[in-house]
Every structure is written in structure tokens, then in C-alpha cells.
Amino acid sequence: MTPANRTLSRRRFLQDAAVAASTVTLASTVSGSGFAQAAATAVDAHIDILPAEPIGTIAPEIYSHFIEQLGGVVYDGVWVGETSKIANHKGIRQAFIDAMKEIEAPVLRWPGGCFADTYDWRDGLGAASKRPNRTAFWDQQESNRYGLHEFMETCRAIGCRPYLAGDIRSAPAKDFYQFIEYCNAPAGDVPSNSAAPAAPDSLAVERAANGSPEPFNVEYWGVGNESWGCGGNMTPEEYAAAFRRYTAWLPNYKGVKLKPVAVGPNGDDVDWTRRVFKSLGENPEKRDLWGLSIHYYTSGSPTKFAEGDALNFDEGAHYDLLARGSIMERVVKDHFAAIQQYGGQNQARLVVDEWGAWYGKGTEIGPTYQFSQQSTMRDALLSGITLDIFQRHAEKVGMANVAQSINCLHSLMLAKEDKFTVTPTFHVFKMYMPHKGGTAVRAEFSAQGIRNPLANGPIPVGGNSYTGSLEPERMLAGLSGSASMKGKTLTLSVVNPHLTRALTTEIAVGGATITSVKGTVLVSRNVHDHNDFEHPKAVYPVAASVGQASGGRLVHTFPAASVTTLQFELA
Ligand code: AHR
């Protein structure tokens, strides 16, 4: 694509698409959001899609997941035990497996999080009755009932790939190598670069004795977690030195390409990334570095809790959360640019392996379910905004893992004993599935921005205010989204964050004729609506009512506080 093509003006584009902008008058037919709803009377916004301007392939892995030995995530959320009355597969909650299958979860990260840098993977091996009980991170007693083999069985049952994190804070590098060897050494085989025969006591033999003769073939390896914080309070230079030492040699086996992921910044701390990469580059040895981990949480606006409230929020807090969540775009751009600045490692892509909203206490599903929180329609909007950012930067983001899949922050599922529900965020993941593996194409959204009413207000402080050091974004995009192509099918996802305004929008697809359109919309009467065990379908997607396309153009009304996906078949 030439630069001239890329700067094709909107005016010219609209002429090409034979669009008569802003002359269409329509009435809004959609429901409200808990705030007074204004009817749309004219075209309020435009989306110009340029299928001929590819950005990159959308890695299906941006729809990946994360579970940790924390609160009720693993114990109760994922693991109920083989003897439980709750439907299970080898002790793993069947409803969790089914929901993850439904959204075709590509990758599952485990065991942490902060837990990973204190976890001895050997503790979770062998006969359950012989496994040690430990005082573990998050001030919990860890029974080790759910260990490596149970995790691998979880992945197998879901049909997803594992992403493990090694402990580099408390364990020596040798444990990291052996963790890889235990997982990947073929039964009775040896590393491809070794001439030695397999010893009868090799780790592959031990794995077989523990029930898995076949190797787990784990590609993704986190080299520590949050090493700037719970993972060791390291400086960037100390972390780079640790990364070099832990990865200078790794056991490689035929058919498995290891993908080491380095610890990235706390939020948008570009200084961390620059210094890590600078320091890595100071040693000229070639090293494998597949990805840079990014953790970016969006705290709620402070109420009585520093991180705000999951359920009780006003208009200001609504826009503030979404505006600060949108900072993800800056995080992605800044850190990718920082990687590019240092030659030699610049094949690395971003692995946003923890993201989501993080609220204060008050909506936990039980006292021991640490960090569990409710998820409303507002969180569905944040999910859409975030996934669209990843897709608009498809060439930069190699993986993303929502934190965390069940019974935690920004969860897709909530479970307590025999009760289970999916959250509005689950529906967004499902609605966005057609994007997976597609080619992200340029799409320009023009709509009046929304001023963040709390932009000058207090910046959240407290335990996990990762956005605390950032200036909250002053303006929230009035409409945002992303577009992708698969063959002749164009998928467009759109978030309307307005609490009161449906946006009648003119969508123009450059150089194409639309032959058919269908869509799905997630919207609720009230943006505070959420699913709970008694009302698991309070927020549920429905078919969008879509008008007739004309040539390459469609006028569509996006309800207030909604997430919509439209699928166009192009001639
Ligand atoms: O997701 C909860 C915690 O948040 C993770 O353990 C840690 O990596 C982050 O601080």
C-alpha cells in the first residue's frame, strides 16, 4: 500500500462509495441504558472501512485466558474434585470446560500471576494424598490438589494450548529448565542437541509414571511474572540479567518451538521496556524472545474504595472507566515502539497477558473468593473497546489473556458450588469470534467524542491502581471498533459507549458491494445490568435489526451502551 493510498481522504472515500452523508433521518428504536434515552434523528457518525488496506492477521491468541491459584479461581471455579456432585470431567468443572469450548479459547495461562514466582511445580505432582500443603502467595493455604497434570487435562478437555510461567524469584534456573524438560521431553527421548541416551529416571519417565507418557509440548513460557513487583522487586537491568541467565539455554525438542515471554511493564511504564531491551542488547548473544508481557488493568473511579465499585457507578465513573481503559491503545503503541528501538530483539510481539477492570471490594461471590467481582454491561463495553484496540494493532499484539477467566477480576464466568453463570464479557468474546484469524483492515470511525467528566478528578490510588501514574484520558471516542476480512466476509465490531444516545451511523465499505448483512447486539435496559446465579440471562445478545444495504453503504443505529458485531458479505 502506497502512502498516497493510505491517506485517501474521507471526502474522496465517501464519494467513491456514493454516500450522501448526514441526510438520512431515522428514529432510534432501541432500548435505554438506565439513563434517559435520546432518539437519534440524523446520521450522527460515520465508519469508513477500507478492505484494501490490511493491518495484519488477527492472532486468535488475543482471545486467550488466565487462571491462577488465587481466591476462588482454581478451587471452586475450575476444580471441583472427582467426587463432587457438580458435573465434572476428572475433577474439572464441566460448565467451565463447556463455556471455554464455546468460545474456542486458544490458550490458557497458569499458574500465575504473582503465585507463579513462589510456586514449585513439583509440589503438584504425584499422588494427591502425598502432595504438600503450603502457605502460598495471596496468604492462602495451597493444597496442591490442582497441579500441572490437572492443568494439562483442563487444556486438553477445552482444546486449548497451555502457557506456563516459571518461578524466577525463588527457584534457580535449573528448575526452569527441568520444568520445560518435564513437560516436553518425549517419552524415552532426549533433547535434540544431546547425544546421551535416556536415563530410566529421566523427567519424561517421571511424567509417564504420573499418568502422562506423552509430552505436553508447551510452547509458551513466561520467564517470571511482574518482576518489577511481586516477582522480585527487580530493576529493569536486574530483570534483563535474569532473563539472559534463565534463557541462555533451554531444552528444545523436535516439533516444539519454545516461545519465551519476558516480563514487561507495570501499565504504561515505557522506561521499564526500554531499559530491559537496552540491557538485553548489551550482551550480543542471540536469544529467543518471542513476546513481551504487558499488564494493564483499569481501576474503577474511586468511591469508598480506591478502585471504585463494580455495580454502583454514576455517569462520570462510567465514562472515566472507559476513557482510562482506552489508554490500552497508547500502551500497545508505546511498548511496541520501544521494542523496535532496540535492534536484535525486534521480532518480539506484545503479550497482554493480564487485562481488565479491577474494582474494590463489595461484590465478591463469597468471603474466600478473593478479587472476585461482578461484571456489568459497562465491563462488556470495556471488553469490546479493548479487543478492538488489539485488532486495530494486529501486527503488534501476539497474544492477550483476560484476567482472569473465572471468579476473579474481569471474568467471563462466575461459579460457586453448583451455581454457574457467564458474564456479559463472555458474550463479547463469543460475538467477536469471527474476527479470529482474519485480516484486520483499516476502519475510520468519526463520531463526536465524549469528554471524560472525571478527567480532572482524583487519580485512583491504592493497591492495584496500575493506571494511577497516568493522566486519565480526557476524551473517550464516541464510537470505536475494528474490522477484519476473511475471504469475502467482512466483520465489523462497534462499541457505542454513550449512556443516552443511540448513534445512527453511515457505514461505507470502500470499493465493495454489500450483498447481505447480519448482526448481533449486546445491550441492556440499564448499563448496571449483570448476570448472577439467579438471573444468568439478564444480559444476553440478540440478533441486531439490520436495514438494507445499498451498494457499499449501510445505515445502522447502534443503541446506547451497546456492543455490536455486523457481518457483511461482499460481492
Ligand atoms: O490477576 C491478579 C494479579 O494481578 C496477578 O496475580 C498479578 O500478576 C497481578 O498483580
Side-chain angles (χ1 to χ4, degrees), residues 210-283:
N210 287 331
S212 301
E214 289 311 312
F216 298 137
N217 292 340
V218 181
E219 298 167 283
Y220 301 109
W221 289 91
V223 185
N225 171 77
E226 297 195 351
S227 304
W228 37 262
C230 63
N233 293 340
M234 298 182 201
T235 65
E237 291 74 23
E238 285 165 349
Y239 177 71
F243 184 89
R244 284 196 299 262
R245 206 153 54 77
Y246 279 70
T247 62
W249 172 82
L250 294 173
N252 278 293
Y253 301 93
K254 238 202 232 137
V256 191
K257 172 87 189 91
L258 295 180
K259 294 178 173 163
V261 177
V263 168
N266 177 2
D268 200 19
D269 179 5
V270 192
D271 184 56
W272 169 275
T273 300
R274 287 203 190 105
R275 285 169 58 189
V276 165
F277 278 83
K278 181 166 183 292
S279 182
L280 285 176
E282 276 160 8
N283 173 307

Side-chain angles (χ1 to χ4, degrees), residues 375-387:
S375 277
T376 64
M377 236 344 266
R378 175 176 65 159
D379 299 294
L381 301 178
L382 180 68
S383 304
I385 288 172
T386 307
L387 294 168

Side-chain angles (χ1 to χ4, degrees), residues 143-298:
S143 67
N144 282 302
R145 182 61 195 86
Y146 189 87
L148 182 61
H149 287 256
E150 287 77 17
F151 171 68
M152 290 301 167
E153 185 56 34
T154 308
C155 292
R156 207 198 53 72
I158 293 168
C160 67
R161 281 164 293 147
Y163 170 15
L164 293 172
D167 170 9
I168 69 160
R169 177 178 111 185
S170 45
K174 189 176 79 180
D175 284 63
F176 188 53
Y177 309 150
Q178 293 190 347
F179 195 4
I180 299 175
E181 182 179 345
Y182 184 92
C183 289
N184 291 358
D189 209 344
V190 287
S192 55
N193 53 358
S194 165
D201 60 349
S202 74
L203 291 173
V205 174
E206 187 185 339
R207 185 189 66 230
N210 287 331
S212 301
E214 289 311 312
F216 298 137
N217 292 340
V218 181
E219 298 167 283
Y220 301 109
W221 289 91
V223 185
N225 171 77
E226 297 195 351
S227 304
W228 37 262
C230 63
N233 293 340
M234 298 182 201
T235 65
E237 291 74 23
E238 285 165 349
Y239 177 71
F243 184 89
R244 284 196 299 262
R245 206 153 54 77
Y246 279 70
T247 62
W249 172 82
L250 294 173
N252 278 293
Y253 301 93
K254 238 202 232 137
V256 191
K257 172 87 189 91
L258 295 180
K259 294 178 173 163
V261 177
V263 168
N266 177 2
D268 200 19
D269 179 5
V270 192
D271 184 56
W272 169 275
T273 300
R274 287 203 190 105
R275 285 169 58 189
V276 165
F277 278 83
K278 181 166 183 292
S279 182
L280 285 176
E282 276 160 8
N283 173 307
E285 288 296 315
K286 183 182 169 302
R287 63 187 52 84
D288 266 346
L289 196 166
W290 183 77
L292 177 77
S293 149
I294 303 268
H295 290 185
Y296 180 73
Y297 287 100
T298 313

Side-chain angles (χ1 to χ4, degrees), residues 66 68 70 109 112-116 137-138 225-226 228 230 295 297 354 358 371 403-404 408-409 464 466:
F66 169 37
E68 176 171 13
L70 158 64
R109 176 178 183 243
C114 293
F115 179 82
F137 201 89
W138 303 116
N225 171 77
E226 297 195 351
W228 37 262
C230 63
H295 290 185
Y297 287 100
E354 292 189 27
W358 189 320
F371 295 147
Q404 301 186 10
C408 198
L409 311 162
N464 287 290
Y466 289 139

